[in-house]
PDB file of all heavy atoms in Angstrom:
ATOM      1  N   PHE A   1       0.832  -1.204   0.000  1.00  0.00           N
ATOM      2  CA  PHE A   1       0.000   0.000   0.000  1.00  0.00           C
ATOM      3  C   PHE A   1       0.867   1.254   0.000  1.00  0.00           C
ATOM      4  O   PHE A   1       0.574   2.229  -0.712  1.00  0.00           O
ATOM      5  CB  PHE A   1      -0.931   0.016   1.211  1.00  0.00           C
ATOM      6  CG  PHE A   1      -1.851   1.198   1.232  1.00  0.00           C
ATOM      7  CD1 PHE A   1      -3.071   1.153   0.587  1.00  0.00           C
ATOM      8  CD2 PHE A   1      -1.467   2.379   1.873  1.00  0.00           C
ATOM      9  CE1 PHE A   1      -3.908   2.270   0.588  1.00  0.00           C
ATOM     10  CE2 PHE A   1      -2.299   3.488   1.872  1.00  0.00           C
ATOM     11  CZ  PHE A   1      -3.522   3.430   1.224  1.00  0.00           C
ATOM     12  N   ASP A   2       1.932   1.240   0.801  1.00  0.00           N
ATOM     13  CA  ASP A   2       2.808   2.405   0.839  1.00  0.00           C
ATOM     14  C   ASP A   2       3.465   2.645  -0.515  1.00  0.00           C
ATOM     15  O   ASP A   2       3.699   3.805  -0.907  1.00  0.00           O
ATOM     16  CB  ASP A   2       3.866   2.233   1.933  1.00  0.00           C
ATOM     17  CG  ASP A   2       3.270   2.330   3.331  1.00  0.00           C
ATOM     18  OD1 ASP A   2       2.182   2.930   3.475  1.00  0.00           O
ATOM     19  OD2 ASP A   2       3.881   1.798   4.280  1.00  0.00           O
ATOM     20  N   GLU A   3       3.795   1.573  -1.237  1.00  0.00           N
ATOM     21  CA  GLU A   3       4.337   1.709  -2.580  1.00  0.00           C
ATOM     22  C   GLU A   3       3.299   2.357  -3.501  1.00  0.00           C
ATOM     23  O   GLU A   3       3.620   3.249  -4.301  1.00  0.00           O
ATOM     24  CB  GLU A   3       4.752   0.337  -3.124  1.00  0.00           C
ATOM     25  CG  GLU A   3       5.187   0.314  -4.580  1.00  0.00           C
ATOM     26  CD  GLU A   3       6.552   0.925  -4.812  1.00  0.00           C
ATOM     27  OE1 GLU A   3       7.234   1.249  -3.820  1.00  0.00           O
ATOM     28  OE2 GLU A   3       6.944   1.076  -5.985  1.00  0.00           O
ATOM     29  N   PHE A   4       2.047   1.895  -3.388  1.00  0.00           N
ATOM     30  CA  PHE A   4       0.979   2.493  -4.192  1.00  0.00           C
ATOM     31  C   PHE A   4       0.815   3.976  -3.859  1.00  0.00           C
ATOM     32  O   PHE A   4       0.723   4.825  -4.756  1.00  0.00           O
ATOM     33  CB  PHE A   4      -0.338   1.756  -3.950  1.00  0.00           C
ATOM     34  CG  PHE A   4      -1.544   2.504  -4.435  1.00  0.00           C
ATOM     35  CD1 PHE A   4      -1.864   2.540  -5.790  1.00  0.00           C
ATOM     36  CD2 PHE A   4      -2.345   3.220  -3.542  1.00  0.00           C
ATOM     37  CE1 PHE A   4      -2.966   3.254  -6.245  1.00  0.00           C
ATOM     38  CE2 PHE A   4      -3.441   3.935  -3.993  1.00  0.00           C
ATOM     39  CZ  PHE A   4      -3.754   3.943  -5.350  1.00  0.00           C
ATOM     40  N   ALA A   5       0.766   4.301  -2.569  1.00  0.00           N
ATOM     41  CA  ALA A   5       0.564   5.684  -2.148  1.00  0.00           C
ATOM     42  C   ALA A   5       1.669   6.587  -2.679  1.00  0.00           C
ATOM     43  O   ALA A   5       1.421   7.717  -3.120  1.00  0.00           O
ATOM     44  CB  ALA A   5       0.505   5.758  -0.623  1.00  0.00           C
ATOM     45  N   HIS A   6       2.889   6.091  -2.641  1.00  0.00           N
ATOM     46  CA  HIS A   6       4.020   6.862  -3.163  1.00  0.00           C
ATOM     47  C   HIS A   6       3.874   7.100  -4.662  1.00  0.00           C
ATOM     48  O   HIS A   6       4.104   8.218  -5.148  1.00  0.00           O
ATOM     49  CB  HIS A   6       5.323   6.131  -2.859  1.00  0.00           C
ATOM     50  CG  HIS A   6       6.512   6.691  -3.563  1.00  0.00           C
ATOM     51  ND1 HIS A   6       7.074   7.911  -3.233  1.00  0.00           N
ATOM     52  CD2 HIS A   6       7.254   6.203  -4.605  1.00  0.00           C
ATOM     53  CE1 HIS A   6       8.104   8.151  -4.025  1.00  0.00           C
ATOM     54  NE2 HIS A   6       8.231   7.136  -4.869  1.00  0.00           N
ATOM     55  N   ARG A   7       3.468   6.066  -5.403  1.00  0.00           N
ATOM     56  CA  ARG A   7       3.387   6.182  -6.858  1.00  0.00           C
ATOM     57  C   ARG A   7       2.255   7.103  -7.309  1.00  0.00           C
ATOM     58  O   ARG A   7       2.389   7.828  -8.292  1.00  0.00           O
ATOM     59  CB  ARG A   7       3.178   4.798  -7.467  1.00  0.00           C
ATOM     60  CG  ARG A   7       4.344   3.845  -7.251  1.00  0.00           C
ATOM     61  CD  ARG A   7       5.397   4.016  -8.310  1.00  0.00           C
ATOM     62  NE  ARG A   7       6.563   3.182  -8.040  1.00  0.00           N
ATOM     63  CZ  ARG A   7       7.574   3.034  -8.882  1.00  0.00           C
ATOM     64  NH1 ARG A   7       7.542   3.666 -10.049  1.00  0.00           N
ATOM     65  NH2 ARG A   7       8.600   2.286  -8.569  1.00  0.00           N
ATOM     66  N   ILE A   8       1.133   7.045  -6.610  1.00  0.00           N
ATOM     67  CA  ILE A   8      -0.025   7.835  -7.061  1.00  0.00           C
ATOM     68  C   ILE A   8      -0.047   9.224  -6.423  1.00  0.00           C
ATOM     69  O   ILE A   8      -0.762  10.114  -6.868  1.00  0.00           O
ATOM     70  CB  ILE A   8      -1.348   7.094  -6.776  1.00  0.00           C
ATOM     71  CG1 ILE A   8      -2.438   7.613  -7.737  1.00  0.00           C
ATOM     72  CG2 ILE A   8      -1.753   7.220  -5.319  1.00  0.00           C
ATOM     73  CD1 ILE A   8      -3.705   6.797  -7.731  1.00  0.00           C
ATOM     74  N   GLY A   9       0.747   9.386  -5.333  1.00  0.00           N
ATOM     75  CA  GLY A   9       0.862  10.703  -4.726  1.00  0.00           C
ATOM     76  C   GLY A   9      -0.166  11.012  -3.667  1.00  0.00           C
ATOM     77  O   GLY A   9      -0.433  12.184  -3.387  1.00  0.00           O
ATOM     78  N   THR A  10      -0.730  10.004  -3.050  1.00  0.00           N
ATOM     79  CA  THR A  10      -1.712  10.232  -1.992  1.00  0.00           C
ATOM     80  C   THR A  10      -1.010  10.374  -0.654  1.00  0.00           C
ATOM     81  O   THR A  10       0.050   9.791  -0.414  1.00  0.00           O
ATOM     82  CB  THR A  10      -2.737   9.089  -1.937  1.00  0.00           C
ATOM     83  OG1 THR A  10      -3.767   9.421  -1.014  1.00  0.00           O
ATOM     84  CG2 THR A  10      -2.088   7.787  -1.489  1.00  0.00           C
ATOM     85  N   SER A  11      -1.597  11.136   0.238  1.00  0.00           N
ATOM     86  CA  SER A  11      -0.965  11.394   1.533  1.00  0.00           C
ATOM     87  C   SER A  11      -1.264  10.317   2.564  1.00  0.00           C
ATOM     88  O   SER A  11      -0.588  10.218   3.585  1.00  0.00           O
ATOM     89  CB  SER A  11      -1.434  12.751   2.078  1.00  0.00           C
ATOM     90  OG  SER A  11      -2.848  12.759   2.229  1.00  0.00           O
ATOM     91  N   ILE A  12      -2.264   9.485   2.307  1.00  0.00           N
ATOM     92  CA  ILE A  12      -2.643   8.450   3.267  1.00  0.00           C
ATOM     93  C   ILE A  12      -1.566   7.378   3.310  1.00  0.00           C
ATOM     94  O   ILE A  12      -0.902   7.100   2.314  1.00  0.00           O
ATOM     95  CB  ILE A  12      -4.017   7.840   2.899  1.00  0.00           C
ATOM     96  CG1 ILE A  12      -4.641   7.144   4.105  1.00  0.00           C
ATOM     97  CG2 ILE A  12      -3.881   6.875   1.738  1.00  0.00           C
ATOM     98  CD1 ILE A  12      -5.260   8.094   5.066  1.00  0.00           C
ATOM     99  N   THR A  13      -1.357   6.764   4.458  1.00  0.00           N
ATOM    100  CA  THR A  13      -0.358   5.697   4.607  1.00  0.00           C
ATOM    101  C   THR A  13      -1.044   4.432   5.089  1.00  0.00           C
ATOM    102  O   THR A  13      -2.220   4.440   5.464  1.00  0.00           O
ATOM    103  CB  THR A  13       0.724   6.091   5.617  1.00  0.00           C
ATOM    104  OG1 THR A  13       0.131   6.158   6.926  1.00  0.00           O
ATOM    105  CG2 THR A  13       1.360   7.423   5.255  1.00  0.00           C
ATOM    106  N   SER A  14      -0.284   3.333   5.103  1.00  0.00           N
ATOM    107  CA  SER A  14      -0.843   2.059   5.542  1.00  0.00           C
ATOM    108  C   SER A  14      -1.266   2.109   7.005  1.00  0.00           C
ATOM    109  O   SER A  14      -2.127   1.340   7.433  1.00  0.00           O
ATOM    110  CB  SER A  14       0.181   0.938   5.330  1.00  0.00           C
ATOM    111  OG  SER A  14       1.384   1.234   6.027  1.00  0.00           O
ATOM    112  N   LYS A  15      -0.676   3.030   7.777  1.00  0.00           N
ATOM    113  CA  LYS A  15      -1.022   3.124   9.194  1.00  0.00           C
ATOM    114  C   LYS A  15      -2.333   3.871   9.420  1.00  0.00           C
ATOM    115  O   LYS A  15      -3.034   3.626  10.391  1.00  0.00           O
ATOM    116  CB  LYS A  15       0.108   3.815   9.952  1.00  0.00           C
ATOM    117  CG  LYS A  15       1.403   3.004  10.012  1.00  0.00           C
ATOM    118  CD  LYS A  15       2.468   3.716  10.834  1.00  0.00           C
ATOM    119  CE  LYS A  15       3.735   2.886  10.913  1.00  0.00           C
ATOM    120  NZ  LYS A  15       4.805   3.572  11.707  1.00  0.00           N
ATOM    121  N   SER A  16      -2.660   4.782   8.521  1.00  0.00           N
ATOM    122  CA  SER A  16      -3.866   5.593   8.716  1.00  0.00           C
ATOM    123  C   SER A  16      -5.025   5.183   7.814  1.00  0.00           C
ATOM    124  O   SER A  16      -6.136   5.708   7.962  1.00  0.00           O
ATOM    125  CB  SER A  16      -3.545   7.067   8.467  1.00  0.00           C
ATOM    126  OG  SER A  16      -3.018   7.263   7.161  1.00  0.00           O
ATOM    127  N   ARG A  17      -4.785   4.228   6.914  1.00  0.00           N
ATOM    128  CA  ARG A  17      -5.823   3.898   5.938  1.00  0.00           C
ATOM    129  C   ARG A  17      -7.039   3.217   6.554  1.00  0.00           C
ATOM    130  O   ARG A  17      -8.117   3.222   5.975  1.00  0.00           O
ATOM    131  CB  ARG A  17      -5.261   2.999   4.840  1.00  0.00           C
ATOM    132  CG  ARG A  17      -4.903   1.592   5.298  1.00  0.00           C
ATOM    133  CD  ARG A  17      -4.445   0.721   4.155  1.00  0.00           C
ATOM    134  NE  ARG A  17      -4.062  -0.618   4.616  1.00  0.00           N
ATOM    135  CZ  ARG A  17      -3.696  -1.607   3.812  1.00  0.00           C
ATOM    136  NH1 ARG A  17      -3.651  -1.413   2.507  1.00  0.00           N
ATOM    137  NH2 ARG A  17      -3.367  -2.776   4.307  1.00  0.00           N
ATOM    138  N   ASN A  18      -6.882   2.583   7.713  1.00  0.00           N
ATOM    139  CA  ASN A  18      -7.991   1.812   8.293  1.00  0.00           C
ATOM    140  C   ASN A  18      -9.049   2.685   8.962  1.00  0.00           C
ATOM    141  O   ASN A  18     -10.059   2.162   9.444  1.00  0.00           O
ATOM    142  CB  ASN A  18      -7.453   0.784   9.295  1.00  0.00           C
ATOM    143  CG  ASN A  18      -6.696  -0.337   8.600  1.00  0.00           C
ATOM    144  OD1 ASN A  18      -7.017  -0.714   7.486  1.00  0.00           O
ATOM    145  ND2 ASN A  18      -5.668  -0.859   9.261  1.00  0.00           N
ATOM    146  N   ASP A  19      -8.822   3.960   9.016  1.00  0.00           N
ATOM    147  CA  ASP A  19      -9.821   4.870   9.575  1.00  0.00           C
ATOM    148  C   ASP A  19     -10.935   5.037   8.543  1.00  0.00           C
ATOM    149  O   ASP A  19     -10.765   5.700   7.523  1.00  0.00           O
ATOM    150  CB  ASP A  19      -9.176   6.218   9.898  1.00  0.00           C
ATOM    151  CG  ASP A  19     -10.142   7.170  10.595  1.00  0.00           C
ATOM    152  OD1 ASP A  19     -11.348   6.855  10.664  1.00  0.00           O
ATOM    153  OD2 ASP A  19      -9.685   8.233  11.045  1.00  0.00           O
ATOM    154  N   ARG A  20     -12.077   4.411   8.816  1.00  0.00           N
ATOM    155  CA  ARG A  20     -13.176   4.431   7.857  1.00  0.00           C
ATOM    156  C   ARG A  20     -13.650   5.841   7.533  1.00  0.00           C
ATOM    157  O   ARG A  20     -14.274   6.058   6.483  1.00  0.00           O
ATOM    158  CB  ARG A  20     -14.350   3.595   8.390  1.00  0.00           C
ATOM    159  CG  ARG A  20     -14.100   2.088   8.322  1.00  0.00           C
ATOM    160  CD  ARG A  20     -15.282   1.312   8.876  1.00  0.00           C
ATOM    161  NE  ARG A  20     -15.106  -0.129   8.708  1.00  0.00           N
ATOM    162  CZ  ARG A  20     -15.583  -0.827   7.680  1.00  0.00           C
ATOM    163  NH1 ARG A  20     -16.264  -0.204   6.727  1.00  0.00           N
ATOM    164  NH2 ARG A  20     -15.389  -2.127   7.597  1.00  0.00           N
ATOM    165  N   ALA A  21     -13.358   6.776   8.400  1.00  0.00           N
ATOM    166  CA  ALA A  21     -13.785   8.149   8.144  1.00  0.00           C
ATOM    167  C   ALA A  21     -13.091   8.710   6.902  1.00  0.00           C
ATOM    168  O   ALA A  21     -13.596   9.666   6.291  1.00  0.00           O
ATOM    169  CB  ALA A  21     -13.476   9.029   9.357  1.00  0.00           C
ATOM    170  N   ASN A  22     -11.956   8.113   6.519  1.00  0.00           N
ATOM    171  CA  ASN A  22     -11.209   8.601   5.353  1.00  0.00           C
ATOM    172  C   ASN A  22     -11.626   7.921   4.047  1.00  0.00           C
ATOM    173  O   ASN A  22     -11.223   8.375   2.968  1.00  0.00           O
ATOM    174  CB  ASN A  22      -9.708   8.357   5.546  1.00  0.00           C
ATOM    175  CG  ASN A  22      -9.139   9.142   6.712  1.00  0.00           C
ATOM    176  OD1 ASN A  22      -9.580  10.248   6.991  1.00  0.00           O
ATOM    177  ND2 ASN A  22      -8.145   8.556   7.390  1.00  0.00           N
ATOM    178  N   TRP A  23     -12.395   6.849   4.144  1.00  0.00           N
ATOM    179  CA  TRP A  23     -12.599   6.013   2.965  1.00  0.00           C
ATOM    180  C   TRP A  23     -13.353   6.718   1.839  1.00  0.00           C
ATOM    181  O   TRP A  23     -13.006   6.581   0.667  1.00  0.00           O
ATOM    182  CB  TRP A  23     -13.322   4.725   3.353  1.00  0.00           C
ATOM    183  CG  TRP A  23     -12.421   3.768   4.099  1.00  0.00           C
ATOM    184  CD1 TRP A  23     -11.171   4.030   4.577  1.00  0.00           C
ATOM    185  CD2 TRP A  23     -12.696   2.420   4.451  1.00  0.00           C
ATOM    186  NE1 TRP A  23     -10.648   2.929   5.211  1.00  0.00           N
ATOM    187  CE2 TRP A  23     -11.572   1.920   5.143  1.00  0.00           C
ATOM    188  CE3 TRP A  23     -13.794   1.581   4.269  1.00  0.00           C
ATOM    189  CZ2 TRP A  23     -11.513   0.619   5.632  1.00  0.00           C
ATOM    190  CZ3 TRP A  23     -13.736   0.291   4.762  1.00  0.00           C
ATOM    191  CH2 TRP A  23     -12.603  -0.195   5.430  1.00  0.00           C
ATOM    192  N   SER A  24     -14.378   7.453   2.174  1.00  0.00           N
ATOM    193  CA  SER A  24     -15.153   8.125   1.142  1.00  0.00           C
ATOM    194  C   SER A  24     -14.290   9.130   0.386  1.00  0.00           C
ATOM    195  O   SER A  24     -14.316   9.198  -0.849  1.00  0.00           O
ATOM    196  CB  SER A  24     -16.352   8.838   1.771  1.00  0.00           C
ATOM    197  OG  SER A  24     -17.092   9.520   0.781  1.00  0.00           O
ATOM    198  N   ALA A  25     -13.481   9.895   1.127  1.00  0.00           N
ATOM    199  CA  ALA A  25     -12.602  10.873   0.484  1.00  0.00           C
ATOM    200  C   ALA A  25     -11.518  10.190  -0.336  1.00  0.00           C
ATOM    201  O   ALA A  25     -11.155  10.661  -1.420  1.00  0.00           O
ATOM    202  CB  ALA A  25     -11.977  11.781   1.545  1.00  0.00           C
ATOM    203  N   LEU A  26     -11.002   9.066   0.178  1.00  0.00           N
ATOM    204  CA  LEU A  26      -9.981   8.322  -0.553  1.00  0.00           C
ATOM    205  C   LEU A  26     -10.519   7.799  -1.876  1.00  0.00           C
ATOM    206  O   LEU A  26      -9.870   7.931  -2.919  1.00  0.00           O
ATOM    207  CB  LEU A  26      -9.487   7.144   0.286  1.00  0.00           C
ATOM    208  CG  LEU A  26      -8.346   7.387   1.263  1.00  0.00           C
ATOM    209  CD1 LEU A  26      -8.008   6.089   1.995  1.00  0.00           C
ATOM    210  CD2 LEU A  26      -7.126   7.914   0.542  1.00  0.00           C
ATOM    211  N   ARG A  27     -11.682   7.209  -1.827  1.00  0.00           N
ATOM    212  CA  ARG A  27     -12.280   6.652  -3.052  1.00  0.00           C
ATOM    213  C   ARG A  27     -12.514   7.754  -4.084  1.00  0.00           C
ATOM    214  O   ARG A  27     -12.268   7.563  -5.280  1.00  0.00           O
ATOM    215  CB  ARG A  27     -13.582   5.927  -2.719  1.00  0.00           C
ATOM    216  CG  ARG A  27     -14.023   4.929  -3.796  1.00  0.00           C
ATOM    217  CD  ARG A  27     -15.340   4.274  -3.410  1.00  0.00           C
ATOM    218  NE  ARG A  27     -15.258   3.445  -2.228  1.00  0.00           N
ATOM    219  CZ  ARG A  27     -14.888   2.158  -2.216  1.00  0.00           C
ATOM    220  NH1 ARG A  27     -14.537   1.578  -3.353  1.00  0.00           N
ATOM    221  NH2 ARG A  27     -14.854   1.475  -1.087  1.00  0.00           N
ATOM    222  N   GLU A  28     -12.966   8.900  -3.619  1.00  0.00           N
ATOM    223  CA  GLU A  28     -13.199  10.019  -4.533  1.00  0.00           C
ATOM    224  C   GLU A  28     -11.880  10.527  -5.109  1.00  0.00           C
ATOM    225  O   GLU A  28     -11.773  10.807  -6.317  1.00  0.00           O
ATOM    226  CB  GLU A  28     -13.920  11.145  -3.800  1.00  0.00           C
ATOM    227  CG  GLU A  28     -14.272  12.324  -4.692  1.00  0.00           C
ATOM    228  CD  GLU A  28     -15.068  13.397  -3.957  1.00  0.00           C
ATOM    229  OE1 GLU A  28     -15.484  13.140  -2.810  1.00  0.00           O
ATOM    230  OE2 GLU A  28     -15.265  14.477  -4.539  1.00  0.00           O
TER     231      GLU A  28
END
């Protein structure tokens, strides 16, 4: 996941991704 985040340029990390409050914004 961290490799993906680095490649696509997202600020979320594998440690913070499990917070469901972020999921809707992440998907968008």
Side-chain angles (χ1 to χ4, degrees):
F1 183 88
D2 289 338
E3 173 74 7
F4 165 77
H6 169 71
R7 295 275 175 173
I8 203 169
T10 187
S11 59
I12 200 78
T13 68
S14 57
K15 293 183 179 179
S16 57
R17 69 176 178 176
N18 290 328
D19 185 351
R20 286 179 175 266
N22 296 326
W23 287 9
S24 179
L26 273 180
R27 200 181 295 274
E28 183 176 351

